[in-house]
Amino acid sequence: MRFGVIGTNWITEEFIRAGQEVEGFSLQAVYSRTIDRANEFAEKFSAPHVFTDVEELAASKHIDAVYIASPNSFHAEQAIQCMNLGKHVLCEKPFASNAQEVEAMLLAAEKNNVLLMEAVKSTLAPNFFAIQENLHKLGKIRRYVASNCQYSSRYDAYKEGTILRAFDPNFANGALMDIGIYCLYPLIVLFGEPSQIKAEAVMLESGVDGEGSILLKYPEHDAVISYSKITTSYLPAEIQGEDATMVIDKINHPQKVEIRYRDGRIEDVTRAQTPKTMHYEIREFMRLFHAGEKESTTNSHTASLLAMQIMDEARKQIGLVFPADQRGGEKA
Protein backbone atom coordinates (compact mmCIF):
# COMPACT_ATOMS: atom_id res chain seq x y z
CA MET A 1 0.00 0.00 0.00
CA ARG A 2 1.49 3.31 -1.13
CA PHE A 3 1.35 6.12 1.42
CA GLY A 4 1.84 9.85 1.32
CA VAL A 5 2.29 11.75 4.57
CA ILE A 6 1.14 15.19 5.63
CA GLY A 7 3.21 16.46 8.53
CA THR A 8 6.96 16.25 9.04
CA ASN A 9 7.13 15.93 12.81
CA TRP A 10 8.16 13.30 15.35
CA ILE A 11 4.85 11.45 15.17
CA THR A 12 5.14 11.14 11.38
CA GLU A 13 8.65 9.77 11.85
CA GLU A 14 7.28 7.25 14.35
CA PHE A 15 4.57 6.28 11.88
CA ILE A 16 7.03 5.78 9.02
CA ARG A 17 9.48 3.77 11.12
CA ALA A 18 6.64 1.50 12.26
CA GLY A 19 5.30 1.25 8.72
CA GLN A 20 8.66 0.20 7.36
CA GLU A 21 8.39 -2.90 9.55
CA VAL A 22 4.96 -3.82 8.17
CA GLU A 23 4.89 -5.98 5.05
CA GLY A 24 3.45 -4.16 2.04
CA PHE A 25 3.93 -0.64 3.42
CA SER A 26 5.54 1.82 1.02
CA LEU A 27 6.25 5.51 1.62
CA GLN A 28 5.97 7.31 -1.69
CA ALA A 29 5.32 10.97 -0.98
CA VAL A 30 5.86 13.73 1.57
CA TYR A 31 3.95 17.00 1.94
CA SER A 32 5.30 20.02 3.77
CA ARG A 33 4.52 23.72 3.54
CA THR A 34 8.11 24.41 2.42
CA ILE A 35 10.02 22.61 -0.31
CA ASP A 36 13.22 22.55 1.74
CA ARG A 37 11.53 20.75 4.64
CA ALA A 38 9.73 18.38 2.24
CA ASN A 39 12.99 17.49 0.50
CA GLU A 40 14.84 17.05 3.79
CA PHE A 41 12.17 14.74 5.21
CA ALA A 42 11.75 12.78 1.97
CA GLU A 43 15.49 12.23 1.69
CA LYS A 44 15.64 10.99 5.29
CA PHE A 45 13.07 8.29 4.56
CA SER A 46 13.79 7.68 0.84
CA ALA A 47 10.42 8.95 -0.39
CA PRO A 48 10.61 9.65 -4.14
CA HIS A 49 7.96 12.38 -4.39
CA VAL A 50 7.54 15.71 -2.56
CA PHE A 51 4.68 18.22 -2.53
CA THR A 52 3.97 21.65 -1.07
CA ASP A 53 0.32 21.63 -2.18
CA VAL A 54 -2.20 19.25 -0.58
CA GLU A 55 -4.36 19.12 -3.71
CA GLU A 56 -1.37 18.03 -5.79
CA LEU A 57 -0.49 15.35 -3.25
CA ALA A 58 -4.09 14.14 -3.22
CA ALA A 59 -4.18 14.02 -7.03
CA SER A 60 -0.95 12.03 -7.27
CA LYS A 61 -1.11 8.66 -9.02
CA HIS A 62 1.83 7.48 -6.94
CA ILE A 63 -0.13 6.99 -3.70
CA ASP A 64 -3.17 5.07 -2.49
CA ALA A 65 -3.59 6.68 0.91
CA VAL A 66 -2.57 9.65 3.02
CA TYR A 67 -1.53 9.67 6.66
CA ILE A 68 -2.36 13.05 8.21
CA ALA A 69 -0.37 14.26 11.22
CA SER A 70 -0.63 18.02 10.78
CA PRO A 71 -1.90 20.30 13.59
CA ASN A 72 -5.41 19.33 14.73
CA SER A 73 -7.01 22.40 13.17
CA PHE A 74 -5.99 21.26 9.66
CA HIS A 75 -7.15 17.64 9.88
CA ALA A 76 -10.66 18.01 8.49
CA GLU A 77 -9.79 20.27 5.56
CA GLN A 78 -6.84 18.17 4.47
CA ALA A 79 -8.67 14.86 4.92
CA ILE A 80 -11.60 16.07 2.82
CA GLN A 81 -9.27 17.36 0.10
CA CYS A 82 -7.62 13.96 -0.09
CA MET A 83 -10.85 11.97 -0.01
CA ASN A 84 -12.44 14.16 -2.71
CA LEU A 85 -9.59 13.10 -4.98
CA GLY A 86 -10.09 9.42 -4.20
CA LYS A 87 -7.45 8.85 -1.54
CA HIS A 88 -7.96 6.74 1.56
CA VAL A 89 -7.17 8.57 4.80
CA LEU A 90 -5.61 7.56 8.10
CA CYS A 91 -5.91 10.67 10.26
CA GLU A 92 -4.21 11.26 13.59
CA LYS A 93 -6.23 11.78 16.71
CA PRO A 94 -8.10 13.92 17.46
CA PHE A 95 -9.93 13.47 14.16
CA ALA A 96 -10.79 17.17 13.83
CA SER A 97 -11.54 20.34 15.80
CA ASN A 98 -15.20 19.54 16.51
CA ALA A 99 -18.05 17.19 15.69
CA GLN A 100 -19.28 19.30 12.79
CA GLU A 101 -15.94 18.81 11.06
CA VAL A 102 -16.03 15.07 11.78
CA GLU A 103 -19.48 14.83 10.22
CA ALA A 104 -18.14 16.54 7.09
CA MET A 105 -15.25 14.05 6.97
CA LEU A 106 -17.60 11.09 7.27
CA LEU A 107 -19.79 12.51 4.52
CA ALA A 108 -16.76 12.92 2.24
CA ALA A 109 -15.68 9.33 2.93
CA GLU A 110 -19.14 8.03 2.04
CA LYS A 111 -19.48 10.24 -1.04
CA ASN A 112 -16.10 9.18 -2.41
CA ASN A 113 -16.34 5.54 -1.30
CA VAL A 114 -12.97 5.63 0.47
CA LEU A 115 -11.55 4.27 3.70
CA LEU A 116 -11.30 6.70 6.60
CA MET A 117 -9.93 5.79 10.05
CA GLU A 118 -8.82 7.69 13.13
CA ALA A 119 -5.29 6.75 14.20
CA VAL A 120 -5.93 5.96 17.85
CA LYS A 121 -3.21 3.34 18.27
CA SER A 122 -4.05 2.13 21.77
CA THR A 123 -7.44 0.60 20.91
CA LEU A 124 -5.92 -1.54 18.14
CA ALA A 125 -3.13 -3.03 20.27
CA PRO A 126 -3.40 -6.69 21.38
CA ASN A 127 -3.68 -5.69 25.03
CA PHE A 128 -6.75 -3.59 24.33
CA PHE A 129 -8.44 -6.68 22.90
CA ALA A 130 -7.32 -8.52 26.04
CA ILE A 131 -9.21 -5.87 28.02
CA GLN A 132 -12.27 -6.12 25.80
CA GLU A 133 -12.44 -9.92 25.75
CA ASN A 134 -11.99 -10.38 29.51
CA LEU A 135 -14.49 -7.80 30.75
CA HIS A 136 -17.08 -10.50 31.44
CA LYS A 137 -14.89 -11.86 34.25
CA LEU A 138 -15.40 -8.70 36.31
CA GLY A 139 -19.09 -9.24 36.93
CA LYS A 140 -21.34 -6.19 36.77
CA ILE A 141 -19.20 -3.20 35.77
CA ARG A 142 -19.47 -0.28 38.20
CA ARG A 143 -16.62 2.10 37.39
CA TYR A 144 -14.01 2.97 34.75
CA VAL A 145 -11.08 5.08 35.93
CA ALA A 146 -8.36 6.30 33.58
CA SER A 147 -5.60 8.87 33.86
CA ASN A 148 -3.24 10.24 31.23
CA CYS A 149 -1.15 13.04 32.70
CA GLN A 150 2.14 13.85 31.01
CA TYR A 151 4.11 17.00 31.70
CA SER A 152 4.63 18.51 28.25
CA SER A 153 8.16 19.19 27.03
CA ARG A 154 6.73 22.43 25.62
CA TYR A 155 5.30 23.66 28.92
CA ASP A 156 8.62 25.09 30.11
CA ALA A 157 8.73 27.30 27.02
CA TYR A 158 5.13 28.32 27.70
CA LYS A 159 6.03 29.38 31.25
CA GLU A 160 8.86 31.48 29.82
CA GLY A 161 6.45 33.30 27.51
CA THR A 162 6.72 31.30 24.28
CA ILE A 163 3.37 29.82 23.23
CA LEU A 164 4.04 26.83 20.98
CA ARG A 165 1.31 25.00 19.06
CA ALA A 166 0.69 22.55 21.89
CA PHE A 167 -0.76 25.39 23.99
CA ASP A 168 -2.34 27.47 21.21
CA PRO A 169 -6.14 27.22 20.77
CA ASN A 170 -5.82 28.38 17.15
CA PHE A 171 -4.51 24.89 16.38
CA ALA A 172 -7.31 23.13 18.32
CA ASN A 173 -4.89 21.94 20.97
CA GLY A 174 -4.89 21.54 24.74
CA ALA A 175 -4.83 18.71 27.25
CA LEU A 176 -8.24 17.24 26.38
CA MET A 177 -7.70 17.13 22.63
CA ASP A 178 -4.10 15.99 22.70
CA ILE A 179 -4.03 13.38 25.45
CA GLY A 180 -7.42 13.27 27.18
CA ILE A 181 -8.73 11.43 24.13
CA TYR A 182 -6.57 8.45 25.12
CA CYS A 183 -8.75 8.05 28.22
CA LEU A 184 -12.00 8.76 26.42
CA TYR A 185 -11.71 6.70 23.23
CA PRO A 186 -11.28 3.29 24.93
CA LEU A 187 -14.24 4.10 27.17
CA ILE A 188 -16.42 4.72 24.13
CA VAL A 189 -15.27 1.58 22.31
CA LEU A 190 -15.98 -0.50 25.41
CA PHE A 191 -19.17 1.09 26.72
CA GLY A 192 -20.62 3.43 24.11
CA GLU A 193 -22.45 6.69 24.78
CA PRO A 194 -22.84 8.05 28.32
CA SER A 195 -26.06 9.63 29.53
CA GLN A 196 -24.43 12.54 31.36
CA ILE A 197 -21.15 14.46 31.12
CA LYS A 198 -19.61 16.77 33.70
CA ALA A 199 -16.28 18.44 32.92
CA GLU A 200 -13.84 20.57 34.90
CA ALA A 201 -10.47 22.01 33.90
CA VAL A 202 -7.61 24.32 34.77
CA MET A 203 -7.47 26.87 31.96
CA LEU A 204 -4.23 28.58 30.93
CA GLU A 205 -3.92 32.21 29.89
CA SER A 206 -3.35 31.18 26.27
CA GLY A 207 -6.95 29.89 26.18
CA VAL A 208 -6.37 26.12 26.31
CA ASP A 209 -6.83 23.65 29.14
CA GLY A 210 -3.67 22.64 30.97
CA GLU A 211 -5.39 19.78 32.75
CA GLY A 212 -8.88 18.54 33.39
CA SER A 213 -11.25 15.76 34.36
CA ILE A 214 -14.57 14.40 33.13
CA LEU A 215 -17.20 12.43 34.99
CA LEU A 216 -19.41 10.36 32.69
CA LYS A 217 -22.59 8.57 33.77
CA TYR A 218 -23.85 5.27 32.35
CA PRO A 219 -27.02 3.40 33.37
CA GLU A 220 -25.23 1.12 35.85
CA HIS A 221 -21.73 2.54 36.17
CA ASP A 222 -19.75 5.75 35.99
CA ALA A 223 -16.42 6.73 34.45
CA VAL A 224 -13.83 9.15 35.76
CA ILE A 225 -11.07 10.32 33.44
CA SER A 226 -8.28 12.79 34.16
CA TYR A 227 -5.64 14.24 31.86
CA SER A 228 -2.92 16.84 32.03
CA LYS A 229 -0.09 18.46 30.09
CA ILE A 230 1.18 20.39 33.11
CA THR A 231 1.60 17.55 35.63
CA THR A 232 2.57 13.87 35.54
CA SER A 233 0.65 10.92 36.96
CA TYR A 234 1.85 7.36 37.49
CA LEU A 235 -1.56 5.87 38.27
CA PRO A 236 -2.79 2.83 36.32
CA ALA A 237 -6.28 2.61 34.87
CA GLU A 238 -8.95 0.40 36.39
CA ILE A 239 -12.23 -1.14 35.33
CA GLN A 240 -14.02 -2.08 38.52
CA GLY A 241 -16.63 -4.81 38.60
CA GLU A 242 -18.55 -6.42 41.45
CA ASP A 243 -16.52 -9.65 41.16
CA ALA A 244 -13.09 -8.32 40.17
CA THR A 245 -11.11 -5.29 39.10
CA MET A 246 -9.05 -5.07 35.92
CA VAL A 247 -5.82 -3.10 36.31
CA ILE A 248 -4.23 -1.61 33.17
CA ASP A 249 -0.77 -0.13 33.49
CA LYS A 250 -1.18 2.65 30.88
CA ILE A 251 -4.46 3.44 29.18
CA ASN A 252 -2.66 5.21 26.32
CA HIS A 253 -0.23 2.33 25.81
CA PRO A 254 -1.51 -0.81 27.57
CA GLN A 255 1.37 -3.24 28.16
CA LYS A 256 0.20 -5.14 31.25
CA VAL A 257 -3.37 -6.16 32.06
CA GLU A 258 -4.29 -7.99 35.27
CA ILE A 259 -7.56 -9.11 36.80
CA ARG A 260 -7.63 -8.97 40.61
CA TYR A 261 -10.45 -11.03 42.08
CA ARG A 262 -12.12 -10.40 45.42
CA ASP A 263 -10.78 -13.70 46.78
CA GLY A 264 -7.20 -12.53 46.26
CA ARG A 265 -6.45 -14.33 43.00
CA ILE A 266 -4.60 -12.38 40.31
CA GLU A 267 -4.94 -13.38 36.66
CA ASP A 268 -2.49 -11.92 34.14
CA VAL A 269 -4.25 -11.59 30.78
CA THR A 270 -1.46 -9.57 29.13
CA ARG A 271 -0.75 -10.37 25.49
CA ALA A 272 2.53 -10.13 23.65
CA GLN A 273 2.83 -7.04 21.48
CA THR A 274 5.57 -5.06 19.80
CA PRO A 275 6.92 -1.88 21.45
CA LYS A 276 5.75 0.12 18.42
CA THR A 277 1.99 0.13 18.87
CA MET A 278 1.62 2.01 15.58
CA HIS A 279 2.24 -1.37 13.91
CA TYR A 280 -1.32 -2.35 14.77
CA GLU A 281 -3.11 0.73 13.44
CA ILE A 282 -1.11 0.46 10.20
CA ARG A 283 -1.92 -3.23 9.84
CA GLU A 284 -5.60 -2.58 10.54
CA PHE A 285 -5.74 0.21 7.97
CA MET A 286 -3.95 -1.88 5.34
CA ARG A 287 -6.16 -4.89 6.08
CA LEU A 288 -9.28 -2.79 5.56
CA PHE A 289 -7.85 -1.39 2.33
CA HIS A 290 -7.09 -4.82 0.86
CA ALA A 291 -10.49 -6.16 1.99
CA GLY A 292 -12.28 -3.25 0.35
CA GLU A 293 -13.79 -2.15 3.67
CA LYS A 294 -14.41 1.51 4.46
CA GLU A 295 -14.14 1.65 8.26
CA SER A 296 -12.74 -0.22 11.23
CA THR A 297 -15.13 -1.98 13.58
CA THR A 298 -12.97 -0.84 16.54
CA ASN A 299 -11.86 2.67 15.55
CA SER A 300 -15.22 3.10 13.86
CA HIS A 301 -16.82 6.22 12.43
CA THR A 302 -19.40 6.02 15.21
CA ALA A 303 -16.72 5.92 17.93
CA SER A 304 -14.80 8.83 16.39
CA LEU A 305 -17.90 11.00 16.06
CA LEU A 306 -19.08 10.19 19.59
CA ALA A 307 -15.64 10.96 21.04
CA MET A 308 -15.70 14.37 19.38
CA GLN A 309 -19.27 15.07 20.49
CA ILE A 310 -18.28 14.34 24.09
CA MET A 311 -15.19 16.54 23.79
CA ASP A 312 -17.35 19.30 22.30
CA GLU A 313 -19.64 19.16 25.32
CA ALA A 314 -16.68 19.08 27.71
CA ARG A 315 -15.11 22.09 25.96
CA LYS A 316 -18.41 23.94 26.18
CA GLN A 317 -18.53 23.35 29.93
CA ILE A 318 -14.94 24.47 30.57
CA GLY A 319 -15.03 27.39 28.10
CA LEU A 320 -12.49 26.08 25.58
CA VAL A 321 -13.24 27.58 22.16
CA PHE A 322 -11.52 26.93 18.83
CA PRO A 323 -11.75 29.00 15.61
CA ALA A 324 -13.61 26.10 13.94
CA ASP A 325 -16.43 26.46 16.47
CA GLN A 326 -17.13 29.97 15.22
CA ARG A 327 -16.74 29.52 11.49
CA GLY A 328 -18.73 26.31 11.03
CA GLY A 329 -17.55 22.96 9.74
CA GLU A 330 -15.62 22.01 6.64
CA LYS A 331 -17.57 21.26 3.51
CA ALA A 332 -17.42 17.75 2.12
Side-chain angles (χ1 to χ4, degrees):
M1 188 173 187
R2 304 170 303 165
F3 281 87
V5 296
I6 295 177
T8 53
N9 48 42
W10 68 270
I11 198 167
T12 311
E13 292 197 17
E14 188 176 305
F15 171 80
I16 294 169
R17 294 188 197 282
Q20 290 171 335
E21 297 175 359
V22 175
E23 184 178 357
F25 176 97
S26 173
L27 177 66
Q28 289 293 311
V30 170
Y31 162 86
S32 182
R33 290 172 298 167
T34 66
I35 190 64
D36 288 346
R37 179 58 177 158
N39 283 328
E40 176 189 1
F41 200 84
E43 182 178 355
K44 184 175 184 177
F45 293 102
S46 302
H49 306 284
V50 297
F51 297 91
T52 57
D53 183 280
V54 173
E55 292 280 350
E56 291 179 5
L57 170 72
S60 172
K61 296 179 180 179
H62 302 292
I63 62 172
D64 304 304
V66 177
Y67 168 72
I68 298 176
S70 54
N72 303 338
S73 55
F74 297 121
H75 286 182
E77 178 184 3
Q78 292 172 340
I80 291 168
Q81 283 179 292
C82 292
M83 289 187 287
N84 282 344
L85 287 168
K87 296 300 184 287
H88 306 283
V89 170
L90 176 61
C91 185
E92 262 306 328
K93 58 82 200 164
F95 230 7
S97 298
N98 58 28
Q100 192 173 5
E101 287 189 342
V102 173
E103 288 170 347
M105 292 166 69
L106 301 185
L107 182 61
E110 181 180 10
K111 182 176 71 174
N112 295 290
N113 194 34
V114 295
L115 167 62
L116 172 66
M117 190 180 89
E118 188 168 6
V120 182
K121 59 186 179 181
S122 56
T123 46
L124 295 170
N127 279 314
F128 179 76
F129 295 111
I131 295 167
Q132 196 170 38
E133 293 166 19
N134 284 281
L135 278 180
H136 67 280
K137 297 177 180 179
L138 308 184
K140 184 169 288 188
I141 304 297
R142 291 304 192 186
R143 175 166 288 173
Y144 169 103
V145 183
S147 172
N148 189 19
C149 303
Q150 305 171 33
Y151 187 95
S152 172
S153 60
R154 297 169 179 83
Y155 189 50
D156 287 339
Y158 176 88
K159 290 191 289 186
E160 293 171 1
T162 302
I163 300 175
L164 302 174
R165 286 179 179 175
F167 292 98
D168 187 344
N170 291 313
F171 294 101
N173 281 325
L176 172 61
M177 299 291 279
D178 289 347
I179 63 175
I181 189 172
Y182 278 121
C183 299
L184 182 61
Y185 207 93
L187 173 70
I188 291 166
V189 174
L190 293 171
F191 301 112
E193 183 175 6
S195 58
Q196 296 177 33
I197 303 162
K198 176 60 178 174
E200 299 287 352
V202 171
M203 302 299 292
L204 302 179
E205 290 181 0
S206 67
V208 302
D209 54 330
E211 63 92 39
S213 58
I214 306 176
L215 175 64
L216 305 103
K217 184 74 176 69
Y218 287 83
E220 294 189 309
H221 74 274
D222 65 11
V224 183
I225 66 175
S226 60
Y227 45 89
S228 175
K229 295 179 76 171
I230 59 175
T231 60
T232 298
S233 173
Y234 303 94
L235 293 173
E238 290 187 345
I239 303 175
Q240 302 169 5
E242 292 188 356
D243 296 334
T245 294
M246 184 178 289
V247 183
I248 304 139
D249 61 343
K250 297 178 182 178
I251 197 64
N252 60 311
H253 186 192
Q255 299 174 77
K256 188 172 183 60
V257 184
E258 290 183 340
I259 300 174
R260 301 185 181 185
Y261 295 91
R262 287 192 296 110
D263 63 7
R265 287 180 298 124
I266 298 177
E267 181 183 4
D268 190 340
V269 296
T270 305
R271 296 182 183 176
Q273 63 184 41
T274 68
K276 296 178 182 176
T277 47
M278 275 192 170
H279 284 152
Y280 302 105
E281 69 181 41
I282 294 168
R283 288 173 182 163
E284 171 74 350
F285 189 76
M286 291 176 63
R287 182 192 69 78
L288 295 167
F289 169 75
H290 290 300
E293 299 177 27
K294 300 303 182 289
E295 69 174 297
S296 168
T297 55
T298 303
N299 289 12
S300 66
H301 293 174
T302 298
S304 292
L305 178 58
L306 181 54
M308 192 59 65
Q309 289 171 335
I310 292 172
M311 290 193 292
D312 280 359
E313 175 59 27
R315 288 196 299 110
K316 180 180 178 182
Q317 292 184 20
I318 65 176
L320 176 54
V321 179
F322 299 141
D325 303 326
Q326 299 165 324
R327 67 172 179 260
E330 296 295 333
K331 296 185 184 301

